[in-house]
């Protein structure tokens, strides 16, 4: 596969993957720059494949992060409200005071668990993007872990069309038609 792919395509696919790190400088740069790079050379199959996968992965990570933050916040608020009826719980500009820390341990554990999950998601993103960049520079395909396929292939893509045809061929064969 390496011999068929031009060096320009490998370089662009590598830059496409590495451009997600622009989110540390520009908000939503992890969506904007890969999308621009992908749309400029979408007609090339190698770049099209890597671009779709990179954008799908970034959308997936964004949704996982929002989900984890929402669930974590809901659980912490529920625990704080439940705790608030029994123990003085004061949050001020210079203080965070809970009368008995033993009763608030569930909040600390919940925050710790969700912090670990969010950190693991962040580390996964860094390793996956670097791995995808290396694979792209070598002219190989890469499948991101935990990626949801939001942007699928075009219907005129031969792989998709052949899959649909082979799926429907079983119904065209008279031997397979039984009542």
């Amino acid at each position: 596969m390496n011999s068929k792919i031009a060096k320009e395509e490998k370089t662009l696919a590598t830059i496409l993957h590495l451009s997600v790190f622009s989110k540390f400088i520009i908000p939503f740069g992890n969506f904007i720059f890969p999308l621009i790079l992908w749309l400029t050379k979408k007609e090339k199959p190698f770049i099209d494949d890597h671009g779709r996968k990179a954008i799908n992965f970034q959308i997936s990570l964004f949704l996982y992060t929002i989900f984890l933050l929402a669930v974590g916040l809901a659980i912490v608020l529920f625990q704080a409200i439940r705790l608030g009826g029994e123990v003085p719980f004061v949050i001020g500009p210079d203080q965070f005071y809970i009368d008995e820390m033993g009763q608030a341990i569930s909040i600390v554990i919940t925050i710790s668990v969700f912090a670990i999950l969010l950190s693991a998601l962040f580390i996964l993103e860094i390793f996956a993007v670097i791995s995808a960049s290396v694979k792209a520079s070598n002219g190989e395909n890469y499948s991101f872990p935990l990626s949801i396929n939001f942007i699928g292939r075009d219907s005129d893509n031969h792989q998709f069309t052949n899959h649909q045809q082979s799926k429907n061929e079983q119904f065209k064969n008279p031997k397979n038609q039984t009542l």
Side-chain angles (χ1 to χ4, degrees):
M1 182 172 196
N2 294 2
S3 60
K4 294 183 203 175
I5 300 168
K7 185 176 180 175
E8 171 192 336
E9 291 180 45
K10 292 177 190 178
T11 304
L12 187 60
T14 303
I15 292 170
L16 188 145
H17 286 296
L18 292 175
S19 69
V20 302
F21 291 131
S22 65
K23 75 178 181 180
F24 298 118
I25 300 169
I26 299 170
F28 298 107
N30 59 328
F31 298 110
I32 296 168
F33 293 115
L35 188 63
I36 290 171
L37 291 171
W38 172 56
L39 291 176
T40 58
K41 298 288 185 173
K42 186 178 173 181
E43 66 279 351
K44 300 189 185 237
F46 185 72
I47 294 175
D48 183 45
D49 183 54
H50 279 273
R52 285 178 195 278
K53 289 178 180 177
I55 293 168
N56 283 333
F57 184 62
Q58 290 303 309
I59 294 170
S60 299
L61 286 180
F62 180 73
L63 292 177
Y64 293 143
T65 303
I66 295 297
F67 176 76
L68 284 174
L69 288 173
V71 170
L73 183 63
I75 292 172
V76 167
L77 285 176
F78 175 73
Q79 290 172 339
I81 289 170
R82 189 184 64 169
L83 181 67
E86 301 169 8
V87 177
F89 184 74
V90 180
I91 299 176
D94 297 326
Q95 61 186 352
F96 177 77
Y97 175 74
I98 298 175
D99 191 29
E100 292 183 34
M101 195 58 157
Q103 293 181 352
I105 196 72
S106 63
I107 293 175
V108 173
I109 291 172
T110 302
I111 291 172
S112 300
V113 166
F114 281 97
I116 290 169
L117 289 173
L118 288 170
S119 298
L121 205 58
F122 177 73
I123 291 168
L124 172 73
E125 177 185 19
I126 290 173
F127 281 121
V129 168
I130 291 171
S131 297
S133 301
V134 170
K135 292 280 190 176
S137 69
N138 293 333
E140 301 170 13
N141 287 328
Y142 182 78
S143 294
F144 285 97
L146 302 176
S147 183
I148 303 169
N149 193 19
F150 293 105
I151 304 172
R153 299 213 178 271
D154 294 334
S155 60
D156 60 346
N157 189 338
H158 296 294
Q159 293 174 341
F160 181 77
T161 307
N162 288 339
H163 175 67
Q164 289 298 95
Q165 287 174 354
S166 64
K167 184 178 175 183
N168 292 330
E169 284 177 6
Q170 64 184 352
F171 297 109
K172 293 178 184 176
N173 189 348
K175 292 189 291 184
N176 292 338
Q177 295 176 357
T178 58
L179 295 176

